[in-house]
Amino acid sequence: MRTTITTLFLLLTLTSCGVFGSLTSNTIIQPNDSFVLGNNEHGSFKVKLKNVCNHDLKVFMAPIDGGTHSPVIVKPRETVTVKAERNTALVIENRSDEEASVDLYVTGDTGLSMGYKN
């Protein structure tokens, strides 16, 4: 009984501290390619993105029903935080002839599709 209560207490503590419901990734984007996060039906999410490559990256929102908005240029070593609304993808575009790398920390709805698009 004591073990069950301790386990339940530990589970509740970890859940309340926000350990679940987040995603951390280092993502590689090939030259002249884009990484798309959330090109599916989902709730809102927030991304802390750090450009860890040596060239600029373009980040913008793309609602799944069409269009784009809110473009941001992320300089090398720069960190930005972006909020994506419900059913809106975040696109990270590498227009360089070199491979790109970004560190991502995602919170909110993490049931997001992930893929690449030329």
Side-chain angles (χ1 to χ4, degrees):
M1 181 69 174
R2 186 178 227 182
T3 304
T4 304
I5 292 172
T6 303
T7 304
L8 181 60
F9 176 77
L10 183 60
L11 181 62
L12 289 172
T13 301
L14 289 174
T15 304
S16 68
C17 292
V19 173
F20 302 108
S22 67
L23 165 71
T24 304
S25 171
N26 176 270
T27 302
I28 303 297
I29 307 169
Q30 295 303 315
N32 300 304
D33 204 359
S34 297
F35 179 74
V36 183
L37 179 63
N39 195 24
N40 61 311
E41 290 189 8
H42 58 76
S44 63
F45 63 94
K46 183 166 76 170
V47 177
K48 182 177 178 182
L49 178 149
K50 181 176 183 180
N51 180 355
V52 292
C53 63
N54 295 322
H55 52 275
D56 294 352
L57 298 173
K58 182 179 179 182
V59 176
F60 58 91
M61 300 294 164
I64 62 173
D65 59 359
T68 63
H69 64 85
S70 306
V72 175
I73 300 298
V74 185
K75 302 285 184 193
R77 313 282 182 259
E78 183 179 14
T79 300
V80 297
T81 300
V82 293
K83 293 181 182 179
E85 297 174 351
R86 169 183 207 93
N87 299 330
T88 300
L90 175 70
V91 180
I92 306 165
E93 194 173 67
N94 177 16
R95 294 182 178 178
S96 170
D97 291 331
E98 299 176 10
E99 186 176 84
S101 179
V102 293
D103 289 335
L104 303 173
Y105 178 68
V106 183
T107 56
D109 188 344
T110 56
L112 307 169
S113 69
M114 298 177 205
Y116 294 90
K117 177 180 161 186
N118 287 350

